[in-house]
Amino acid sequence: MTTGAETIVAGLEAAGVTLAASVPDTWIGRLMAAVRGSGRIRAVDVAREEEAVAVACGANLAGGRGAVLIQNAGLLNCGAVLAGLVELYGLPCFFIVSLRGDYRDPVYYHAPKGRVTEATLQAWRLPYALADRTGDLAAQVRRGVEFAAESRGPFVLLISGEDLA
Amino acid sequence: MTGRKPFLDALAAHLGPEDVLVSCLGANARWLPHMKVAAPVFALCDSMSAAVPLALGIALTRPERHVVALEGDGSLLMSPNVLATAAAAGAPNLTIVLWVNGHYESSGGQALPAAPVDWPALARAAGLRHVETVAEPAGLGPALAAARRAPGPALLVLPIAFDPLEAIPPYSERPAEIRTRFKL
């Protein structure tokens, strides 16, 4: 049986993603394990989330397709690089972000991040969607990648741990 | 200690169309549009610390190109973690050229935190194997040649004399122009 993580990776592959830059958390780590099983996507482990954004943008500038796989804590680190690189230069940048701290997350200490994530995305004017695992998850990924490419800007797909099962 | 422009001239002279140049924000990015550079140039005007990871993404995607990232010591001090990222990625076609002048030149020449950072030692500790200090512009060509031959990413450390009176041109290209012109 195909897992949600494998379906997401299938969506990345179908969208032509060639590189996934990541700082893992528990959920993104599971997703990156599936990425590493892909023969078409290069997994790039970075030390901070801002680096992941720039690495993905570099891949896009060089003719590939980059994606950023991080936790929402890391997304909150990325305001400056989103403004000063992605938005300023008009570069596509597709994110898959684990939405820690919402009602589905059993870990109490993520709650403060969960409370501010969507509000921050809205304040930063970042287009985003909540993954819907009852629908076609691969298609949601593919549409997000295409949206970023066509709009020359960011797109964030928020996922939960349940989406990876 | 030598000033910026002779080093920048030497760098430009040793880059060919098969290379790629990514510049951090600041004086180098402001000089480059006024210079003859055979390599495609992507120059930042904001976003400190983005030059090296941006260059890394290019290098991993286009392994046949030699990608040079110009970075400043103030910018790298903000995120030295990228040295470990570059070492882990192992891209042999990435060369980081670090300009060390001890000042945040782009924002008015304020001094960096007064710590004697040993950049070559820090880079080696982060896992970079090919690290060289280049004291004079004449040494940059051979250093770049050696960096190209290195089996992993390389770091060249350039001690630069800070000149608060240097007449640095203003930014003369807009980001959309830079992006549009940048073709590999």
Side-chain angles (χ1 to χ4, degrees):
Chain A
M1 182 176 169
T2 303
T3 66
E6 290 165 341
T7 302
I8 289 172
V9 172
L12 291 170
E13 290 176 337
V17 169
T18 57
L19 178 153
S22 179
V23 179
D25 70 347
T26 313
W27 297 351
I28 293 296
R30 285 159 57 193
L31 182 54
M32 281 300 287
V35 168
R36 290 178 214 284
S38 167
R40 293 156 61 181
I41 304 172
R42 179 174 188 137
V44 181
D45 301 314
V46 306
R48 276 187 67 89
E49 293 83 358
E50 300 97 311
E51 295 173 14
V53 175
V55 168
C57 287
N60 291 336
L61 279 169
R65 274 200 170 171
V68 177
L69 279 55
I70 56 177
Q71 196 200 88
N72 53 351
L75 181 70
L76 297 174
N77 288 341
C78 290
V81 75
L82 277 160
L85 182 65
V86 176
E87 298 279 5
L88 187 62
Y89 284 82
L91 302 177
C93 196
F94 175 70
F95 292 76
I96 294 178
V97 174
S98 56
L99 178 55
R100 306 309 305 259
D102 78 352
Y103 69 96
R104 297 169 293 183
D105 192 341
V107 182
Y108 74 92
Y109 55 72
H110 290 306
K113 293 176 294 194
R115 281 196 289 274
V116 302
T117 297
E118 287 192 70
T120 301
L121 288 167
Q122 291 159 12
W124 289 355
R125 300 178 183 175
L126 296 184
Y128 74 97
L130 290 161
D132 174 11
R133 68 193 176 101
T134 65
D136 185 342
L137 204 47
Q140 294 164 43
V141 170
R142 199 173 62 247
R143 281 197 296 268
V145 175
E146 292 297 337
F147 183 94
E150 293 297 324
S151 64
R152 289 196 165 279
F155 186 86
V156 178
L157 183 66
L158 296 170
I159 65 165
S160 171
E162 297 172 354
D163 298 320
L164 303 172
Chain B
M1 198 181 290
T2 307
R4 167 200 326 288
K5 197 57 171 43
F7 269 111
L8 201 54
D9 288 338
L11 177 69
H14 288 94
L15 294 178
E18 74 283 5
D19 298 313
V20 180
L21 183 61
V22 177
S23 175
C24 76
L25 68 149
N28 287 340
R30 288 158 60 180
W31 270 115
L32 284 167
H34 303 277
M35 299 171 60
K36 186 174 177 55
V37 184
V41 176
F42 194 94
L44 296 166
C45 53
D46 197 8
S47 198
M48 287 176 75
S49 307
V52 175
L54 192 68
L56 176 60
I58 295 169
L60 292 173
T61 303
R62 297 295 296 269
E64 80 282 10
R65 308 292 291 259
H66 179 228
V67 184
V68 175
L70 300 188
E71 186 57 294
D73 52 351
S75 187
L76 190 58
L77 194 58
M78 187 177 280
S79 59
N81 36 274
V82 78
L83 296 171
T85 295
N93 58 328
L94 174 66
T95 298
I96 304 164
V97 179
L98 180 64
W99 300 66
V100 178
N101 69 5
H103 290 78
Y104 298 108
E105 195 163 38
S106 185
S107 56
Q110 302 91 341
L112 266 59
V117 178
D118 184 339
W119 288 107
L122 185 64
R124 290 189 184 99
L128 291 177
R129 303 284 179 81
H130 187 99
V131 179
E132 182 178 351
T133 297
V134 183
E136 296 295 336
L140 194 52
L144 276 169
R148 288 176 202 272
R149 294 191 300 269
L155 174 72
L156 305 181
V157 179
L158 277 52
I160 306 287
F162 174 61
D163 176 7
L165 300 178
E166 180 183 356
I168 303 168
Y171 285 110
S172 53
E173 290 182 315
R174 293 294 174 260
E177 295 175 79
I178 293 168
R179 185 200 69 217
T180 303
R181 190 173 35 73
F182 184 76
K183 296 194 187 309
L184 303 186

